[in-house]
Amino acid sequence: MQIQKKAGRTQQKMVPYLFILPFLISYILFFLYPAIYSFVLSFYKYKGYGEAKFIGISNYASLFQYETLWKCLGNTFFYFIASFIPTMIFAFLLAMLVRSKLIQRFQSFYKPILFLPQICAVVASALCFKIIFGERVGVFSQLLNTQIPFLTDDRYMKWTVVILITWRAIGWYFIIYLSGLTTISDEIMEAATIDGANNVQSTFFITIPLMKPIFMLAFITNAIGSLKIFTEPNLVLGINYDPPMKAAPFINIILNNLNGSQFGMASAAGWILVMVIFILTLIQLKFFKGEE
């Protein structure tokens, strides 16, 4: 009898694992195995056919001596930093505004409008921006009756991409911040008002400290997404894969090596990007931990 009970308990414990088994299998086949294989491949010279030749860290050493790698990495960090600040500020201010009693009753109208850019296809958005900022037939060039080289001049081209990234991202982080604001009890804010705190003091001394976990989520998510950027600059600027790739993001280095049948070099470039994202994430976690 006891053996049957133990067998029944074992079966009950196994049921949850059976439900997640399809996910585990797909995770191992389509993520874990390719990731491990690409890491191993980064130490080999391999053209996609024939025998792979072990060359140690030569792929990494060659990439670090590759001037275009640093240029593309700098472009990627420019896109990240230049879009990060306005995205986080405007998204939070919009969330505060929509959460306020002044326009709270119209949330069902404002939310879809603010989130609309996020659900638009990135390809369609990029092509629209390419038309808007076109030099000859662009909207601004037509309105100002001149030709502004937004997409070809080094002074403007990367900023055009930043505007697109910011426009698309604000709606997403607006929803994240708005969700975080709903977790703050109205009683806390009313108590602060009774104690004499004005709106600015309540924001800086109550709302922002209570929103730190939400800020951490938003900052890390934004960093990971920005450092993996590819579609927006390539579609808007029509980046050429040949050097110097003035405004190309880091992922173009990976694709450039794949086009040259240097699979080991491409894998090494991919893992360099992984390490950059990992280090930046650790720095952000350390920052928020230190703030606590």
Side-chain angles (χ1 to χ4, degrees):
M1 192 68 178
Q2 292 180 351
I3 296 175
Q4 291 179 349
K5 288 183 178 179
K6 289 182 179 180
R9 291 174 183 173
T10 303
Q11 291 177 354
Q12 290 179 352
K13 291 180 180 180
M14 290 299 296
V15 168
Y17 296 99
L18 291 175
F19 279 106
I20 65 173
L21 186 61
F23 164 76
L24 291 176
I25 294 174
S26 61
Y27 177 80
I28 293 171
L29 288 178
F30 300 111
F31 178 80
L32 189 60
Y33 171 73
I36 295 173
Y37 181 75
S38 69
F39 179 72
V40 174
L41 191 62
S42 68
F43 298 100
Y44 285 80
K45 184 178 181 180
Y46 184 54
K47 293 185 177 181
Y49 57 88
E51 183 179 357
K53 181 181 178 182
F54 180 77
I55 57 174
I57 62 171
S58 296
N59 286 327
Y60 292 93
S62 299
L63 283 170
F64 283 123
Q65 295 174 2
Y66 188 32
E67 182 181 352
T68 308
L69 177 138
W70 297 105
K71 185 177 295 184
C72 291
L73 187 60
N75 293 336
T76 302
F77 270 99
F78 176 84
Y79 293 136
F80 163 54
I81 296 173
S83 63
F84 172 81
I85 297 174
T87 297
M88 295 298 114
I89 292 176
F90 282 113
F92 181 70
L93 291 177
L94 285 172
M96 290 285 293
L97 182 62
V98 173
R99 182 64 177 167
S100 65
K101 295 181 180 180
L102 182 63
I103 59 173
Q104 191 173 15
R105 66 177 66 182
F106 303 108
Q107 285 190 29
S108 59
F109 174 74
Y110 287 105
K111 287 181 182 178
I113 293 178
L114 294 173
F115 193 70
L116 185 62
Q118 181 63 36
I119 64 176
C120 292
V122 62
V123 175
S125 301
L127 293 177
C128 287
F129 267 69
K130 189 172 184 177
I131 295 173
I132 293 171
F133 290 95
E135 182 174 351
R136 294 184 178 180
V137 294
V139 174
F140 289 106
S141 296
Q142 292 291 323
L143 289 175
L144 300 175
N145 196 24
T146 185
Q147 294 184 7
I148 307 174
F150 285 116
L151 307 181
T152 55
D153 194 311
D154 294 348
R155 296 172 297 174
Y156 308 124
M157 56 196 309
K158 287 191 286 189
W159 285 106
T160 305
V161 178
V162 168
I163 294 172
L164 171 58
I165 298 170
T166 304
W167 176 75
R168 295 194 72 252
I170 284 178
W172 174 256
Y173 293 101
F174 158 75
I175 294 296
I176 292 178
Y177 288 144
L178 188 61
S179 300
L181 289 173
T182 57
T183 63
I184 300 177
S185 175
D186 292 335
E187 285 76 9
I188 296 177
M189 305 306 295
E190 291 176 0
T193 303
I194 293 173
D195 289 339
N198 55 35
N199 292 332
V200 176
Q201 292 172 331
S202 299
T203 300
F204 281 96
F205 295 104
I206 297 177
T207 303
I208 292 179
L210 292 177
M211 286 280 289
K212 281 184 179 179
I214 308 300
F215 287 133
M216 181 176 67
L217 171 65
F219 290 1
I220 293 176
T221 304
N222 182 269
I224 294 173
S226 297
L227 293 178
K228 295 191 300 180
I229 186 175
F230 170 74
T231 307
E232 290 90 340
N234 278 271
L235 285 177
V236 174
L237 304 177
I239 293 170
N240 191 341
Y241 283 90
D242 296 327
M245 296 195 292
K246 296 179 181 179
F250 189 87
I251 291 182
N252 282 57
I253 294 291
I254 302 174
L255 296 179
N256 199 26
N257 283 289
L258 287 176
N259 290 337
S261 298
Q262 301 184 56
F263 287 82
M265 192 82 74
S267 298
W271 278 98
I272 290 174
L273 181 60
V274 169
M275 291 306 300
V276 170
I277 294 174
F278 179 71
I279 292 171
L280 184 59
T281 302
L282 288 181
I283 292 173
Q284 290 180 319
L285 289 173
K286 182 70 175 178
F287 171 77
F288 279 100
K289 186 176 180 181
E291 288 291 318
E292 292 176 0

